Amino acid sequence: MEVASMESVGVLMTNQMYPYLEDQLAKRFNLFRLWNYPSLSAFSKAHANSIRAIVGSTKMGADATMIDSLPNLEIVCTYSVGLDKIDLPKCKQRGIPVANTPDVLTDDVADLAIALALSVSRRICVSDSFVRNHSWQKSDFYLTSKFSGKTVGIVGLGRIGSAIAKRAAAFGCPVSYHSRSEKPDTGYKYYSNILDLASNSQILIVACALTQETHHIVNRQVIDALGPKGILINIGRGQHVDEAELVSALKEGRLAGAGLDVFENEPHVPEELFSLENVVLVPHIGSDTVETSNAMADLVIANLEAHFQNKPLLTPVT
Ligand SMILES: O=CC(=O)O
């Protein structure tokens, strides 16, 4: 199929994402915006037969109801590396290929993990406020905690976990990890049990995929194993951490600090965290640089074009 003839291909975007991606999709395909309709069923009533592709994101992917309501669906692409908002078994059952945006975002997410570890340890955000609110004119800022050389434990040594490990090692941090199975030749210590990893880490960084097995993988026991001098960094998904337990541990001083890019019920963040100086909160911005967002958008388009030209997908989910 020539590129020009794709203009009639119906593509459904699930929610507002990056305007550049929306513009590019609208130029190439017959783009439908789900957010312009009162509900999925209202949309399906009018256009279900037209849709051959879904473009989802971390906010809304493709669940079983959506997939079932689109009889001519051929492919699901997500503007994310995470697949947790897509019903993968349902896609498999219907023979629908799925593509995501790995690799292009790895550096940004790993950079943010280190930035959060540094920001929590060195109180960058609090000390910035200290300057802005003229407190420096009254006293010096309090002493903080060194990051370089701290033991770093990484949960999930995939693409992003490995990039975090490389960065942490450059800061002189001994790195260990936990994952389902040991990876060959990493040079990092492997723990088959997350509790042992947490007990032996000063900073624990969550970087695994969200699945049924990893939901609340950081629970009260893991938080207590990390202990009152430990720092938790989460650049994975909010649901990896039992957030209520995290909040009480931070309030009770059973954990030294946390740097969080993700939350259980985004965009809602427990307000109890707002007054804590040992916590840094950012709004799920792991891959949100202009460079990476452009690369992710281009990859979504390239996957869609490959599919409709009967070529292999660039980044298929297997
Ligand atoms: O959270 C971001 C992603 O999955 O790409």
Side-chain angles (χ1 to χ4, degrees):
M1 192 186 285
E2 291 308 312
V3 173
S5 64
M6 287 188 205
E7 280 169 12
S8 63
V9 170
V11 173
L12 175 64
M13 254 184 133
T14 59
N15 62 284
Q16 281 182 291
M17 302 169 207
Y18 183 32
Y20 166 77
L21 174 60
E22 193 178 324
D23 291 348
Q24 293 301 314
L25 287 170
K27 271 188 195 140
R28 291 167 163 82
F29 302 98
N30 181 15
L31 184 64
F32 293 84
R33 298 161 175 88
L34 187 57
W35 62 94
N36 286 342
Y37 295 81
S39 64
L40 175 65
S41 61
F43 171 80
S44 300
K45 233 175 240 152
H47 302 294
N49 290 330
S50 307
I51 299 305
R52 294 171 63 191
I54 291 174
V55 174
S57 76
T58 56
K59 292 197 177 76
M60 194 192 293
D63 62 12
T65 311
M66 187 182 290
I67 294 167
D68 277 339
S69 66
L70 303 172
N72 297 320
L73 184 64
E74 288 174 37
I75 180 168
V76 173
C77 289
T78 183
Y79 175 67
S80 70
V81 69
L83 298 165
D84 46 286
K85 291 278 169 69
I86 301 174
D87 192 324
L88 294 174
K90 172 63 77 179
C91 289
K92 197 168 175 198
Q93 183 198 325
R94 287 258 317 257
I96 294 169
V98 176
N100 62 344
T101 60
D103 301 314
V104 291
L105 48 61
T106 300
D107 282 341
D108 273 355
V109 181
D111 288 353
L112 184 69
I114 299 296
L116 286 170
L118 279 163
S119 303
V120 175
S121 308
R122 299 298 303 272
R123 298 286 193 270
I124 302 294
C125 303
V126 188
S127 57
D128 176 271
S129 300
F130 187 83
V131 173
R132 290 172 197 251
N133 68 23
H134 308 285
S135 296
W136 195 16
Q137 286 149 30
K138 292 174 229 141
S139 68
D140 286 339
F141 195 67
Y142 57 84
L143 299 184
T144 60
S145 178
K146 185 170 174 172
F147 170 65
S148 287
K150 288 267 153 65
T151 50
V152 168
I154 300 175
V155 183
L157 202 71
R159 296 178 182 89
I160 294 172
S162 302
I164 294 170
K166 200 167 134 191
R167 283 159 175 75
F171 280 87
C173 300
V175 173
S176 335
Y177 71 101
H178 163 74
S179 57
R180 267 172 309 180
S181 56
E182 185 167 6
K183 319 259 167 196
D185 308 323
T186 64
Y188 309 124
K189 188 168 169 47
Y190 172 68
Y191 288 97
S192 59
N193 185 326
I194 189 174
L195 277 176
D196 294 335
L197 178 72
S199 308
N200 288 287
S201 301
Q202 293 168 296
I203 299 177
L204 188 71
I205 305 182
V206 182
C208 56
L210 179 66
T211 62
Q212 270 172 5
E213 291 76 40
T214 63
H215 182 266
H216 283 193
I217 189 168
V218 177
N219 57 17
R220 187 184 175 106
Q221 269 187 302
V222 173
I223 292 170
D224 286 343
L226 191 55
K229 292 192 171 157
I231 290 174
L232 178 73
I233 304 297
N234 190 3
I235 49 80
R237 287 287 183 267
Q239 293 81 355
H240 282 127
V241 177
D242 185 331
E243 196 166 88
E245 286 293 351
L246 175 65
V247 170
S248 52
L250 287 163
K251 277 172 45 188
E252 292 161 17
R254 287 186 286 111
L255 192 67
L260 307 172
D261 182 40
V262 288
F263 303 88
E264 278 209 80
N265 185 24
E266 295 173 8
H268 303 287
V269 176
E271 296 234 356
E272 292 152 288
L273 297 176
F274 292 6
S275 58
L276 301 181
E277 295 201 347
N278 53 351
V279 172
V280 175
L281 308 167
V282 294
H284 202 151
I285 53 163
S287 58
D288 288 359
T289 64
V290 172
E291 295 89 337
T292 293
S293 299
N294 286 344
M296 289 167 66
D298 289 341
L299 193 48
V300 168
I301 304 273
N303 274 305
L304 285 173
E305 289 186 340
H307 172 80
F308 289 110
Q309 289 167 339
N310 290 318
K311 291 185 185 153
L313 299 182
L314 283 85
T315 49
V317 172
T318 48

